[in-house]
Amino acid sequence: MNPFQKNESKETLFSPVSTEEVQPRPLSLPKKPTPKICGSNYPLSIAFIVVNEFCERFSYYGMKAVLTLYFLYFLHWSEDTSTSIYHAFSSLCYFTPMLGAAIADSWLGKFKTIIYLSLVYVLGHVVKSLGALPIIGGQMVHTVLSLVGLSLIALGTGGIKPCVAAFGGDQFEEKHAKERTRYFSVFYLSINAGSLISTFITPMLRGDVQCFGEDCYALAFGVPGLLMVIALVVFAMGSKIYRKPPPEGNIVTQVAKCIWFAISNRFNNRSGDIPKRQHWLDWAAEKYPKQLIMDVKALTRVLFLYIPLPMFWALLDQQGSRWTLQATRMNGNLGFFVLQPDQMQVLNPLLVLIFIPLFDLVIYRLVSKCGINFSSLRKMAVGMILASLAFAVAAAVEIKINRMTPLQPGPQEIFLKALNLADDEVKVTVLGDENNTLLEESIRSFQKMPRYAQLHLKTKSQDFHFYLKYHNLSVYTKHSMEEKNWYSLIILEDGKNISSMMVKDEENKTTNAMTAVRFVNTLHKEVNISLGTDITLSVGEDYGVSAYTTVQSGEYPVVHCRTEDKNFSLNMGLLDPGTAYLFVIINSTNHDPQAWKMEDIPTNKLSIAWQLPQYALVTAGEVMFSVTGLEFSYSQAPSSMKSVLQAAWLLTVAAGNIIVLVVAQFSGLVQWAEFILFSCLLLVVCLIFSIMGYYYAPTKPEDLQEPADKQISPTQGNMINLETKKTKL
């Protein structure tokens, strides 16, 4: 018998019994020649992975760019509900990476995990696109299909997120570490490129293409779904040349078990007779190796700094929800281009590509030359301050929008506007139930009324008496109106007499920067109007009034119209985005019928370009916070804990989206006040983080390894606990 083996057996008699055996390290992969790119040291397989990542990120960010407006205008949810579901989806996308990492590390390996979850991803896009087709089912069917599709997409995109980048790194040999570093730069460049292109294109597919007479959300979701199919096909094409490491065990699970054992062991040994240990994780020494415990100690020090981080992500991720909703109430006409509200999100990846080299090559170097120690934690704190300032700017823009936006009628309140289509001036007097004068105004023929008059009701519904004086003729009429509505009193001329009719206006005439139009036909024949390939409407004869129809903004010099015996065209001129127009079709003595044009509700004159400062500030904050924070965390954590750290980083993003969800549902604040709330909360969190960072002592690389002369054998380290256990027995 081997004497060393005998001694080991004796030593085991004095060691505590462990319920978990140390798993053997997997055998290293046999070295085999892999195809290279153009004779370089870069494996050919990474080309498939980079293209896959570009298409997948195009798919994800393209779908997400139009998601809030889809909730708001297709499913007809409120702004708060749309924001909540948007951030619930985002949060789920950052929780599922934990599941994907566990499947890849413990069961299927990275390659199979990417393939299988990509199939789930594609299925989610198919279901989501079907839910955006108006011809399939009703409101309930659309809602169910949308939620199921989003759940599958969240599982797919989150599940493959921790696998793709790491799988690309697996393709390199250890001696090509320099090339591997450059690969990751190209990899993250493909992410931003996919995001940049998709957030510009998919809003155009939604707004510039008409499906079934409205915005084409099915196409806006279908194209990203097609890109995900391409991503899956491209990735599968490289199957034969990939290096596929087998599953090595989930380090996240090992860390969790180590921490749990330390806590439970300390709880079970609360007696004062048991000597205290230097660190609470030392209570795991009976079961886990010394090096693992040291690595977990270093990890927990970094994770402690992660506690305040979710608040930053709560602000950053509102670009696709609250800021997009803000953009719908602004004028997207830049003169040379009409910008869709959801296209403003393209500024973020564009500015990221600009700011990263700007900060690295210019700003940080200038700060360093000034003798300022701009440490990583200080950069992160400044990033928080910039994001807080961005939301303060967003609040100022929101206040400006509210001042320029027409008021909304409240309870026991209506808005009324009179339109005089007679050939001379008409004096309009509005009387209440007690014949008290509520409104008195003289209106010229075809006078463009600048605004609605505000009238108060005594109940939810009330009759109003109208006294119309035209030349020497007086006409009395009565109209009933309900609270919280807009009304237009249209005064008609019939020979020498006049009459009136009350038209209830739509509550929301314009949506997502579209243009709304309606027509009044003074001709004696019905008019059919063609506003585009898919939009036609009929307006009845003798002052027939059409409903509001949303059309694309732009020039309409020739609009084809037809009566039963005549074809003619109308010049509607330039239609600005976000404006509601009224067109009155009138006879002309020498020409074809013409259209008299009036702005029913003027467009919001505040340009969407006013959002540029807040996007610049929040993106600068993202570059300083996100890039620096992840780099700092990686430098402070042991090499064996990198995957755990990545999972924890993604969880902070998920927690940040949950914060937005809670605030959107329960705060009850007006939008500008909610922006101020987030800004102040991040400032408070920044102060807390700065205090934590002040007392944080950076870990040096040599501190992560236990010196050989200080290592204590498991037997020596556990003797005290053994004696205590014997005393108890």
Side-chain angles (χ1 to χ4, degrees):
M1 181 180 292
N2 191 330
F4 292 102
Q5 189 175 6
K6 184 176 181 181
N7 291 338
E8 184 180 349
S9 299
K10 287 183 179 180
E11 197 170 82
T12 306
L13 295 174
F14 296 94
S15 301
V17 179
S18 174
T19 58
E20 181 175 300
E21 296 181 357
V22 179
Q23 297 295 330
R25 287 183 174 272
L27 297 175
S28 61
L29 290 175
K31 296 181 179 180
K32 59 179 181 179
T34 56
K36 305 293 183 182
I37 298 178
C38 300
S40 66
N41 292 326
Y42 294 93
L44 179 61
S45 55
I46 66 170
F48 296 96
I49 297 173
V50 170
V51 174
N52 165 268
E53 184 65 13
F54 170 83
C55 295
E56 189 275 327
R57 290 291 89 184
F58 186 108
S59 171
Y60 175 73
Y61 285 109
M63 177 275 305
K64 198 176 178 183
V66 300
L67 194 57
T68 300
L69 297 186
Y70 170 76
F71 292 153
L72 190 65
Y73 299 124
F74 188 87
L75 297 182
H76 304 293
W77 292 348
S78 67
E79 289 191 0
D80 288 341
T81 302
S82 301
T83 301
S84 299
I85 300 300
Y86 176 90
H87 287 282
F89 167 71
S90 299
S91 180
L92 186 59
C93 289
Y94 285 98
F95 272 120
T96 49
M98 295 287 291
L99 178 61
I103 294 174
D105 292 343
S106 305
W107 180 25
L108 295 177
K110 298 183 185 70
F111 175 76
K112 290 184 178 179
T113 301
I114 295 171
I115 290 292
Y116 294 155
L117 290 183
S118 293
L119 291 172
V120 175
Y121 202 160
V122 170
L123 178 61
H125 273 297
V126 172
V127 175
K128 187 75 186 68
S129 300
L130 290 176
L133 288 173
I135 59 175
I136 296 181
Q139 179 75 13
M140 181 59 66
V141 174
H142 294 152
T143 301
V144 172
L145 289 176
S146 299
L147 294 180
V148 171
L150 287 177
S151 301
L152 294 174
I153 291 173
L155 177 59
T157 185
I160 68 175
K161 190 186 295 290
C163 302
V164 178
F167 186 70
D170 291 339
Q171 306 307 306
F172 291 86
E173 300 175 14
E174 291 300 326
K175 60 183 179 181
H176 298 147
K178 185 177 181 180
E179 287 80 3
R180 181 167 54 196
T181 302
R182 291 177 180 173
Y183 152 73
F184 280 112
S185 299
V186 176
F187 182 83
Y188 288 112
L189 179 64
S190 70
I191 292 176
N192 285 280
S195 172
L196 178 67
I197 297 174
S198 63
T199 50
F200 184 79
I201 291 179
T202 50
M204 297 175 65
L205 297 176
R206 171 196 62 79
D208 295 346
V209 180
Q210 293 287 305
C211 297
F212 308 100
E214 56 187 30
D215 283 359
C216 198
Y217 288 100
L219 181 63
F221 291 139
V223 170
L226 178 61
L227 264 292
M228 190 57 220
V229 173
I230 296 175
L232 175 58
V233 172
V234 169
F235 183 77
M237 287 171 60
S239 175
K240 294 184 179 180
I241 61 175
Y242 290 141
R243 300 176 76 242
K244 304 173 185 176
E248 299 182 1
N250 194 348
I251 188 65
V252 178
T253 304
Q254 294 181 31
V255 171
K257 288 182 178 180
C258 179
I259 294 175
W260 174 251
F261 181 79
I263 295 174
S264 59
N265 193 27
R266 178 67 184 92
F267 181 79
N268 294 331
N269 292 276
R270 299 187 303 275
S271 173
D273 299 333
I274 303 177
K276 295 182 179 179
R277 302 190 181 182
Q278 186 177 5
H279 194 279
W280 63 273
L281 277 169
D282 291 334
W283 289 94
E286 285 82 5
K287 188 173 181 180
Y288 293 94
K290 189 77 172 180
Q291 186 61 49
L292 176 62
I293 295 175
M294 289 187 62
D295 290 350
V296 176
K297 287 180 182 179
L299 176 71
T300 54
R301 296 177 70 250
V302 179
L303 293 183
F304 179 69
L305 290 176
Y306 277 15
I307 295 176
L309 303 192
M311 184 53 66
F312 176 85
W313 302 116
L315 275 70
L316 184 68
D317 282 356
Q318 290 190 55
Q319 296 173 75
S321 57
R322 290 302 197 193
W323 286 13
T324 298
L325 294 175
Q326 183 186 70
T328 62
R329 300 188 293 274
M330 304 177 74
N331 187 358
N333 191 349
L334 302 178
F336 58 91
F337 185 75
V338 177
L339 201 63
Q340 299 290 343
D342 35 2
Q343 278 181 318
M344 283 298 292
Q345 299 173 60
V346 78
L347 284 175
N348 180 252
L350 177 62
L351 291 175
V352 165
L353 295 176
I354 297 173
F355 283 170
I356 287 180
L358 176 65
F359 275 76
D360 286 340
L361 302 178
V362 181
I363 296 178
Y364 292 157
R365 292 186 179 184
L366 289 177
V367 172
S368 178
K369 287 184 177 181
C370 293
I372 300 175
N373 180 19
F374 207 22
S375 64
S376 297
L377 294 180
R378 290 178 181 176
K379 292 177 184 177
M380 294 176 67
V382 173
M384 290 182 176
I385 294 174
L386 290 176
S388 177
L389 290 176
F391 266 69
V393 173
V397 173
E398 188 71 22
I399 292 172
K400 186 68 174 177
I401 292 173
N402 292 339
R403 289 176 179 174
M404 300 179 68
T405 302
L407 297 175
Q408 306 294 315
Q412 297 185 3
E413 196 174 67
I414 63 165
F415 286 167
L416 176 67
K417 183 166 65 175
L419 175 61
N420 180 14
L421 301 184
D423 61 356
D424 204 352
E425 183 178 270
V426 176
K427 184 178 181 181
V428 179
T429 304
V430 183
L431 305 175
D433 286 340
E434 300 174 357
N435 289 329
N436 55 319
T437 301
L438 302 178
L439 177 66
E440 189 172 16
E441 195 169 13
S442 293
I443 305 174
R444 299 189 304 274
S445 175
F446 286 89
Q447 178 181 347
K448 296 181 179 181
M449 302 301 294
R451 59 181 177 83
Y452 284 83
Q454 185 178 18
L455 300 180
H456 295 278
L457 287 70
K458 294 183 178 179
T459 59
K460 293 184 177 181
S461 178
Q462 182 178 331
D463 292 334
F464 287 89
H465 301 272
F466 292 83
Y467 171 52
L468 308 178
K469 188 173 182 180
Y470 172 69
H471 295 165
N472 296 323
L473 180 68
S474 296
V475 176
Y476 290 90
T477 184
K478 181 177 70 173
H479 297 287
S480 178
M481 289 177 281
E482 298 178 351
E483 64 176 359
K484 300 181 181 180
N485 286 308
W486 288 258
Y487 290 93
S488 291
L489 178 71
I490 300 179
I491 302 171
L492 317 173
E493 179 185 3
D494 183 13
K496 296 182 179 181
N497 297 323
I498 61 170
S499 61
S500 66
M501 63 180 179
M502 186 67 67
V503 178
K504 183 178 178 181
D505 297 342
E506 296 287 341
E507 181 176 351
N508 293 313
K509 296 175 181 165
T510 59
T511 59
N512 58 38
M514 294 285 285
T515 301
V517 295
R518 69 171 175 174
F519 295 85
V520 176
N521 178 22
T522 65
L523 307 181
H524 298 299
K525 297 178 181 180
E526 180 180 294
V527 177
N528 294 312
I529 304 172
S530 176
L531 293 172
T533 56
D534 300 327
I535 305 176
T536 57
L537 54 93
S538 297
V539 189
E541 71 275 10
D542 297 326
Y543 297 98
V545 181
S546 71
Y548 283 98
T549 302
T550 56
V551 297
Q552 294 292 328
S553 58
E555 288 279 357
Y556 285 80
V558 179
V559 176
H560 297 287
C561 304
R562 178 175 52 86
T563 62
E564 61 182 8
D565 58 356
K566 186 178 183 180
N567 294 329
F568 61 94
S569 63
L570 299 175
N571 180 10
M572 294 170 53
L574 176 64
L575 303 184
D576 292 325
T579 309
Y581 292 96
L582 173 67
F583 292 92
V584 181
I585 303 175
I586 55 177
N587 270 316
S588 177
T589 55
N590 300 324
H591 304 283
D592 289 336
Q594 296 180 346
W596 178 77
K597 177 181 177 182
M598 184 184 74
E599 285 189 0
D600 222 349
I601 289 185
T603 182
N604 197 324
K605 303 301 182 183
L606 190 64
S607 173
I608 201 171
W610 281 98
Q611 281 195 323
L612 181 59
Q614 64 199 55
Y615 270 97
L617 284 170
V618 81
T619 306
E622 179 186 1
V623 170
M624 298 190 70
F625 179 91
S626 180
V627 177
T628 305
L630 197 55
E631 177 186 356
F632 166 79
S633 303
Y634 267 58
S635 68
Q636 296 296 295
S639 58
S640 62
M641 298 289 120
K642 304 299 185 186
S643 60
V644 184
L645 196 68
Q646 176 70 13
W649 183 267
L650 296 176
L651 286 179
T652 63
V653 182
N657 281 275
I658 292 177
I659 293 174
V660 183
L661 189 155
V662 172
V663 172
Q665 284 295 316
F666 302 107
S667 68
L669 298 173
V670 294
Q671 192 55 66
W672 68 265
E674 185 179 293
F675 285 156
I676 293 294
L677 173 64
F678 276 110
S679 179
C680 294
L681 286 176
L682 187 57
L683 282 179
V684 173
V685 168
C686 179
L687 178 61
I688 296 172
F689 178 78
S690 299
I691 296 173
M692 295 168 62
Y694 179 79
Y695 289 101
Y696 179 82
T699 303
K700 299 178 181 178
E702 57 269 18
D703 296 337
L704 299 178
Q705 296 293 332
E706 180 73 5
D709 56 347
K710 291 185 179 181
Q711 289 184 1
I712 304 174
S713 66
T715 306
Q716 292 174 326
N718 297 328
M719 285 300 293
I720 296 177
N721 199 40
L722 285 172
E723 292 176 2
T724 306
K725 290 184 178 180
K726 289 179 181 178
T727 304
K728 287 184 178 182
L729 288 172

